[in-house]
Amino acid sequence: MSPLTSLWPASARLRLCRGILLNTHSLRLSTCTSLRLFTVSASTHSAGRILATVPASLAAPGSWPQRVMRSPNVSVSAATTNLVRFSTAASLSNHQTDIGAPEASAELESASITQNHAVVGWWYLFCAGLVFCIVAVGGVTRLTESGLSITEWNLIKGMKPPRTEEEWMEEFDKYKKFPEYTLLNHNITLSEFKFIFYMEWGHRMLGRFIGLSFILPGLYFASRGYMTPSIAKRSFVVACLIGGQGTLGWYMVKSGLREELFEAKQFHGVSQYWLAAHLGSAFIIYSVMLLTGLEILRTSSRGAKVLSEQVAVAFRQPGFRVFAMSTHNIAALVLLTAFSGAFVAGLDAGLIYNEFPFMGTGLVPSDMWALSDPAVSEKPIPWWRNLLENHAAVQFNHRVLAMTTATAVTFLWVASRRFTLPRSSRLAINALLGVTALQVSLGISTLLYLVPVPLAAAHQSGSLLLLSTSLWLLHTLRILPK
């Protein structure tokens, strides 16, 4: 017989190599199939079909099938006999491998989700925008003394507002039983009550909408594999925070409905502690949503690698690492200042010392420690409680933190002129300086004009805008994983 090499043209060998490369991962051999192949006469066509089933690892140069086929002393029939033996062994090996296929495929499926879809990032930013809106609406609700108009918390039943005159009178009678009506709004009419009722009802309905807008799409994206396991876990934490936010809101309202408040000489509404917790929680939820959305959109964009390389180059500049870490401190300082503002709002502390920069005869108010001084107070309280419950001290704290934040931002902007920054970082640092100037102006104007609702609401929204800008700057200076 003729040697096999004389029956194996170059074009057939090329087709064999292509077949091996294309079928490496999908190859499934069986003994019966191999035996059927070998019953075909030893021709060039049958030899090509036989070798096309050989895995790439065994068809490599130097392997025994190649040595058999290339030997000039081996006939087609001898080669066929050897290949039958090889094919049977390969079939058993593949069968053993297939036993663990379900476990391996499950692991591969979970490990295959390595990048989030861009739609998840846009969803996070949409929810962050909703949180921004509810913070603004909540500020107006508080400033118009509307937060205590609904004296019950019903997650489902509370979605339906009163419609008939009888239902409105029933709600109005409930409101009359609590301290706010007796001590503050005893002259309110039914039409005025309807206004404050709808303000609080709208605030609560927006909160429900945010919960549904986050939880339902989140479940869909997680089930379809649109987000990585780490983002899915983060989304679960945010969903829990949203649920906790509703609970904090009710406890805040409940603190303003206590019967002990009937004995108070002056009604200030809800507890400043619960108000600070409620507002601070909203700011934290917003921060997580904003940073997560920006992170996902940046890693899923085409220019993600270029921006990361630009940031990496910037980090090689002397002193840049300290500058980048300072952006984290700025964001924390902005958050702390906003938190202190919640105490000012809760105590109506903006209605005293309506002047700037002095507070009375000096920069520090004379009654700074009035509640903890035994010579002034009949029942002195600890110094730390004085800082959180004394109207003058609370306003002084907010002033100091606000001016410290403004000074730190200014120094950060001046320091940024020394470095070569990515374009987005340069835009963010310039925006941070501008928003800081705007927020300081709004704060001083709110104080000088005795806290008018439009200015005070703009000031509260401005604090969240300032936090957004500081987080944006922080984000642009991060080297995200590829």
Side-chain angles (χ1 to χ4, degrees):
M1 293 185 179
S2 305
L4 185 61
T5 53
S6 63
L7 301 175
W8 196 255
S11 60
R13 294 177 186 175
L14 181 59
R15 288 195 300 272
L16 169 63
C17 294
R18 289 176 179 173
I20 291 173
L21 292 175
L22 292 174
N23 295 286
T24 297
H25 297 289
S26 61
L27 181 61
R28 293 291 182 269
L29 296 177
S30 66
T31 304
C32 295
T33 305
S34 299
L35 289 175
R36 282 198 301 269
L37 287 173
F38 296 132
T39 58
V40 183
S41 61
S43 62
T44 304
H45 180 66
S46 62
R49 290 178 60 189
I50 293 171
L51 283 179
T53 62
V54 178
S57 59
L58 295 175
S63 60
W64 74 264
Q66 289 292 328
R67 292 198 303 271
V68 169
M69 302 309 292
R70 290 179 179 177
S71 174
N73 300 320
V74 179
S75 63
V76 172
S77 60
T80 302
T81 304
N82 284 297
L83 284 174
V84 168
R85 189 166 61 248
F86 154 74
S87 180
T88 305
S91 177
L92 293 174
S93 175
N94 280 326
H95 177 70
Q96 294 175 353
T97 304
D98 289 344
I99 294 176
E103 292 81 359
S105 61
E107 293 179 0
L108 287 174
E109 184 177 357
S110 61
S112 61
I113 307 175
T114 58
Q115 190 173 9
N116 300 285
H117 287 222
V119 66
V120 178
W122 288 114
W123 163 64
Y124 257 100
L125 292 184
F126 171 73
C127 291
L130 290 178
V131 175
F132 193 105
C133 291
I134 200 172
V135 170
V137 172
V140 177
T141 302
R142 176 186 56 81
L143 289 166
T144 55
E145 305 290 349
S146 304
L148 300 177
S149 57
I150 302 179
T151 59
E152 298 175 340
W153 173 251
N154 294 303
L155 185 60
I156 304 300
K157 185 179 178 182
M159 297 174 64
K160 174 182 172 297
R163 295 182 180 179
T164 64
E165 196 70 17
E166 292 76 13
E167 290 177 345
W168 276 113
M169 288 304 301
E170 181 181 353
E171 289 294 332
F172 196 22
D173 290 338
K174 292 179 183 178
Y175 177 70
K176 291 178 180 180
K177 297 177 182 178
F178 293 96
E180 185 177 66
Y181 174 81
T182 304
L183 301 176
L184 187 67
N185 290 336
H186 54 275
N187 292 324
I188 192 173
T189 63
L190 180 60
S191 60
E192 292 172 334
F193 172 74
K194 289 181 180 180
F195 171 79
I196 63 174
F197 182 94
Y198 274 124
M199 285 296 304
E200 174 64 10
W201 179 81
H203 183 63
R204 295 189 183 189
M205 288 300 296
L206 185 54
R208 291 182 176 94
F209 180 71
I210 291 174
L212 293 176
S213 298
F214 188 83
I215 293 174
L216 295 182
L219 292 174
Y220 173 79
F221 292 145
S223 64
R224 295 299 298 270
Y226 282 13
M227 58 178 71
T228 60
S230 61
I231 295 297
K233 293 177 182 177
R234 191 185 306 181
S235 301
F236 175 76
V237 173
V238 174
C240 293
L241 289 175
I242 293 175
Q245 176 71 353
T247 303
L248 285 175
W250 169 241
Y251 275 103
M252 179 189 68
V253 171
K254 196 174 180 181
S255 68
L257 302 176
R258 296 171 298 153
E259 294 184 359
E260 306 91 84
L261 296 176
F262 279 114
E263 302 175 1
K265 296 180 181 179
Q266 188 176 2
F267 183 77
H268 295 297
V270 300
S271 166
Q272 71 271 24
Y273 294 105
W274 285 113
L275 177 61
H278 188 53
L279 184 65
S281 176
F283 274 51
I284 291 174
I285 293 172
Y286 174 81
S287 300
V288 175
M289 286 181 173
L290 180 64
L291 286 176
T292 302
L294 293 176
E295 175 186 337
I296 294 174
L297 290 179
R298 177 174 160 184
T299 53
S300 62
S301 66
R302 296 181 179 178
K305 185 177 180 181
V306 176
L307 181 57
S308 295
E309 291 175 353
Q310 291 176 352
V311 176
V313 171
F315 266 93
R316 300 192 187 109
Q317 303 174 82
F320 187 82
R321 188 172 297 275
V322 176
F323 170 80
M325 288 302 299
S326 299
T327 61
H328 294 72
N329 299 332
I330 292 293
L333 192 56
V334 171
L335 187 61
L336 181 60
T337 305
F339 189 72
S340 71
F343 283 86
V344 176
L347 291 173
D348 290 332
L351 298 176
I352 61 173
Y353 293 113
N354 302 105
E355 52 192 342
F356 190 85
F358 296 102
M359 298 183 70
T361 58
L363 294 175
V364 180
S366 58
D367 52 348
M368 176 73 183
W369 303 101
L371 297 183
S372 60
D373 187 358
V376 179
S377 177
E378 296 180 359
K379 297 180 180 180
I381 60 178
W383 65 269
W384 61 269
R385 283 187 57 190
N386 178 85
L387 291 176
L388 300 176
E389 298 178 13
N390 183 356
H391 295 62
V394 165
Q395 188 188 127
F396 177 78
N397 296 338
H398 189 59
R399 287 190 184 204
V400 170
L401 286 171
M403 298 315 299
T404 302
T405 302
T407 304
V409 169
T410 304
F411 275 109
L412 186 71
W413 183 85
V414 173
S416 71
R417 312 308 295 176
R418 298 171 42 214
F419 303 107
T420 301
L421 300 177
R423 183 179 179 183
S424 58
S425 301
R426 179 64 64 190
L427 181 60
I429 188 68
N430 291 337
L432 180 63
L433 182 66
V435 175
T436 301
L438 174 63
Q439 179 66 353
V440 170
S441 301
L442 286 173
I444 296 175
S445 300
T446 301
L447 182 67
L448 296 179
Y449 288 95
L450 296 175
V451 196
V453 173
L455 279 177
H459 185 54
Q460 177 168 313
S461 300
S463 64
L464 196 52
L465 180 62
L466 182 60
L467 179 63
S468 306
T469 313
S470 64
L471 293 176
W472 175 33
L473 174 62
L474 180 154
H475 166 77
T476 61
L477 295 177
R478 292 175 61 194
I479 302 178
L480 298 178
K482 298 179 181 179

